[in-house]
Amino acid sequence: MWQKAYTWICRFTEQRLIVQVAFPLLLLLFGLAGAFDGADLSDTTYSLGNYAYFKTLRGDWLYATYLSNLTGYLLLNICGGRMLWMNVLTRLFPVAAALLAYHALRGRIHPVILFWGEVIALGLCWCPSVILYNYLSYFLLAASASLLSGWRETEKRGRLFAAGVFLGLSLLVRISNLAYCALVLFVWYCDAKKGEGHPAVRDTLVCIGGYLCGVAAAFLLLVLSGLENGGAAGVAAGLQGMVQWVSGLFTSSAGDAGGYSMGAMLRLILGGYLFGAGHFLPMLGGLVLGTVMFALFRDRFLAAKKVLYLCGVALLFLYYYRNGVFTVKYYNNGCIYGIGTVLLLALLLLFAGTALFPGREDGSRSDRDLAVFALLLLLIAPLGSNNHLYAVLNQMFFTAPLGLALFGKMLRRQKKKAWFWPLACMGLCFITLFTVQAVLFSGTYVFKDGEDGSRRDAVVSENVPLRGMRTSAAHKEAIEGLTAAAPSDASMITYGNLPGLHYALHLAPALSNLWPDLDSYSYGDMEEELQEAGKSGSEPVIVMAADMPDYCGDMQKKYSLLQDFIYNNGYEIKYQNEEFILYGKAD
């Protein structure tokens, strides 16, 4: 009966309507779910503020993420400045990345496994979709990867050129995406397998040509936009800012404010894997003990051994839960990080093992190529980001389905081995647990809105940019109260991780940075710009968090600097609620 049911399911899910329409449509709907949730005033609306004031802002960060800011500016205008519709549009980027991977791998992985992997990948997308320097980067990397993954079969150099163009464009989406150039290693691997030297040179030159064309196209946009906004000075500032960021990637991490130097990024990545290794070792130990148990009296007491091993797996998961490796607090991204690092280490071993020991069965060579490709993507993913291994979990559009597929093939090859049952039991239980975590996390979590467990049970109505967004009743009341009290024609300075208020209140920044709390905005720059504001008589309003974070170092010094500005220029409190304090010039 089970065999007949399995056969029917396989035939049903392999139908063209299911593979080409139903699964992609379900991925689209899953990716768009939750677009109306959240009214975060830090990272999420900081990005929207950068887009809203794209034509007036200056600074290195504007040019280091130039194409993402330009794209955001265009999309925000299409959306009429509304966060709700911006969320809907930008969620199409991770969905598109998932669909690109789905299309590229469709002929190599069973549709159900492929769909399963993409659901996991979309479920792990914790970062707000409006932060386009992340998701536009992932989309372009997925586009390039989809071309390269099938290049060995077609050997069409046009695919190499197009892949290079996408990677070249990604450089100006975020300068630190320079690390994505490492994808050329897959081309060298494929050419090395053929044992030919000259094609490798030609293929590399084709990739480089496409890359340079992509960079040139992006630079052309920068130059044209710079001439429109600031003339030759705007272009020069843009080029200077980009050169500074590129040089910063190769400097030491000492004094690196943004965490984007190569040293800082590698330190964060290694720290994440070391953290995961401490939780991965008990799982590895369980596999070894299980193998020994099944090897003893190999064909006897099988039922007892299986029950005993299942109990051991349950105890391991209980240990994980008790030690916070995973939690059921799906409103916080900590529920996936610990177990996610365990998954990443398992994938590294799986891909490396398949690449080194592919087996002799039919299709093993293709599996080896896919394993090398997936391993390369897994190693590249965190480079260019300062988000630890969260950056890898945020873009598993290729690695998740490839991991599921290669694990299944490995199990089929190991059926007669003593470790088959421990490996199959542990692996399938872990994958099931992780799938549940990813789906429930996706349906619950909103970045920095409700991370403390508070319910999003109210809808913002009296603030136009945020209208229609669900948040907590207290947060809604605080935002709408500040909206009513704030002037409509002033510039503004915020402090206390509130950069999104520039976007929410339609008040232009009085400083060159919407988020002066950041380490990347120096004390000296803030002091100079506040002095200029005092001399010019511009009288910007100032909004501070009512519950100011515990700052130290330069952030505390900048806070004191702003308090001195308030005192020396005769400011007073104009409005105050549980979240915000609004200062204005005394009447």
Side-chain angles (χ1 to χ4, degrees), residues 186-203:
F186 184 68
V187 178
W188 295 353
Y189 160 79
C190 292
D191 284 330
K193 283 190 67 178
K194 293 186 293 186
E196 300 174 0
H198 294 299
V201 176
R202 289 197 295 268
D203 292 340

Side-chain angles (χ1 to χ4, degrees), residues 66-67 161 164-172 208-224 239 242:
Y66 184 77
L67 277 187
F161 184 84
V165 170
F166 287 126
L167 293 179
L169 289 171
S170 75
L171 181 66
L172 270 74
I208 292 174
Y211 189 84
L212 292 177
C213 286
V215 172
F219 263 110
L220 181 61
L221 285 173
L222 186 149
V223 170
L224 293 176
L239 295 176
M242 294 180 69

Side-chain angles (χ1 to χ4, degrees), residues 267-393:
R267 189 172 64 249
L268 291 173
I269 294 165
L270 291 175
Y273 279 120
L274 287 174
F275 169 79
H279 304 304
F280 182 66
L281 287 176
M283 177 181 286
L284 206 56
L287 288 173
V288 172
L289 291 175
T291 301
V292 172
M293 181 177 70
F294 277 85
L296 295 173
F297 307 106
R298 186 160 184 177
D299 296 323
R300 301 176 63 185
F301 314 114
L302 288 179
K305 290 177 182 178
K306 290 177 180 180
V307 171
L308 184 60
Y309 193 75
L310 277 171
C311 292
V313 171
L315 286 175
L316 175 66
F317 289 173
L318 179 62
Y319 164 80
Y320 280 169
Y321 177 74
R322 291 283 180 87
N323 287 272
V325 180
F326 75 92
T327 73
V328 294
K329 297 178 180 178
Y330 298 111
Y331 48 80
N332 191 291
N333 58 12
C335 74
I336 59 158
Y337 184 69
I339 196 172
T341 58
V342 174
L343 174 69
L344 294 179
L345 285 168
L347 288 177
L348 282 174
L349 284 179
L350 173 64
F351 295 149
T354 305
L356 294 172
F357 310 104
R360 300 178 180 178
E361 298 83 359
D362 292 340
S364 294
R365 291 184 179 180
S366 177
D367 292 347
R368 182 180 190 176
D369 294 342
L370 290 175
V372 170
F373 185 68
L375 182 62
L376 191 57
L377 284 175
L378 205 60
L379 294 174
I380 288 174
L383 299 177
S385 171
N386 60 355
N387 285 318
H388 306 260
L389 294 183
Y390 277 113
V392 190
L393 297 174

